[in-house]
């Protein structure tokens, strides 16, 4: 029985990911979750008491996975500049991934404190790695530069998400070049 419950919970989270990546947070409703999973709406309430609870659990499950992939790419890179490049490239590479799209949709939405805290914790680890790489480059303001660098990444993510005129690879190259030129400045 417990195994069946955890399978249903996983199916609900997967349906939530799809709904978020297709239509953002407005698309994530209990009726839509019920329809996607074939469960009765009352059953959805047995697993999650609210939309916020679904979002919070997704943050708990997906953010660390996403952050770990970026972290691994940075750890594999040799030298501070290569780490910064890996940080930008990996995040942009993950844009097409449904998990990432769900993460982006969640980040853009109104979150309760619990979910925000989990996102901050996952992001905090990444920002700390970038701050360290920037400090290795003797950057005068590594913390500020890390925040601005993430702004470049976020803008590039949105550009790719929108299906902008430029090819995703062109957006990635522009973001990498801006990041590396910016941090050396």
């Amino acid at each position: 029985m417990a195994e069946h419950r955890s399978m249903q919970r996983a199916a609900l989270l997967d349906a939530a990911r799809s709904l978020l990546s297709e239509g953002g947070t407005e698309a994530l409703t209990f009726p839509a979750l019920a329809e996607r999973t074939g469960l009765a709406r009352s059953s959805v309430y047995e697993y999650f008491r609210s939309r916020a609870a679904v979002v919070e659990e997704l943050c708990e499950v997906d953010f660390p996975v996403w952050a770990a992939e970026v972290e691994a790419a940075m750890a594999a890179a040799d030298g501070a500049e290569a780490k910064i490049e890996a940080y930008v490239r990996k995040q942009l590479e993950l844009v097409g991934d449904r998990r990432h799209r769900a993460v982006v949709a969640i980040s853009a939405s109104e979150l309760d404190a619990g979910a925000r805290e989990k996102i901050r914790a996952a992001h905090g680890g990444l920002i700390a790695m970038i701050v360290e790489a920037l400090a290795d480059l003797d950057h005068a303001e590594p913390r500020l530069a890390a925040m601005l660098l993430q702004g470049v990444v976020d803008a590039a993510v949105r550009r790719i998400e929108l299906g902008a005129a430029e090819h995703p690879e062109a957006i990635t190259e522009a973001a990498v070049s801006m990041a590396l030129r910016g941090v050396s400045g």
Side-chain angles (χ1 to χ4, degrees), residues 98-126:
R98 226 160 35 103
R99 263 174 209 271
H100 183 269
R101 279 208 300 274
V103 159
V104 169
I106 290 168
S107 303
S109 72
E110 292 301 307
L111 295 173
D112 66 354
R116 266 203 309 274
E117 203 35 64
K118 292 187 172 77
I119 291 174
R120 234 195 315 271
H123 250 269
L126 287 178

Side-chain angles (χ1 to χ4, degrees), residues 56-163:
E56 192 168 331
E57 185 147 335
L58 271 180
C59 291
E60 215 168 303
V61 175
D62 288 358
F63 257 88
V65 172
W66 173 82
E69 287 192 39
V70 177
E71 220 164 288
M74 287 176 74
D78 202 18
E81 279 202 4
K83 284 187 190 315
I84 290 164
E85 180 169 348
Y87 175 81
V88 175
R89 277 190 195 284
K90 192 63 181 180
Q91 286 191 67
L92 297 180
E93 192 185 300
L94 291 170
V95 171
D97 185 304
R98 226 160 35 103
R99 263 174 209 271
H100 183 269
R101 279 208 300 274
V103 159
V104 169
I106 290 168
S107 303
S109 72
E110 292 301 307
L111 295 173
D112 66 354
R116 266 203 309 274
E117 203 35 64
K118 292 187 172 77
I119 291 174
R120 234 195 315 271
H123 250 269
L126 287 178
I127 294 286
M129 289 182 81
I130 276 296
V131 170
E132 195 179 316
L134 289 162
D136 289 346
L137 289 173
D138 292 328
H139 200 286
E141 299 243 25
R143 189 129 197 102
L144 172 62
M147 295 303 172
L148 295 176
L149 179 65
Q150 186 57 46
V152 169
V153 173
D154 293 343
V157 164
R158 275 194 303 278
R159 199 93 195 126
I160 294 170
E161 289 273 325
L162 287 170

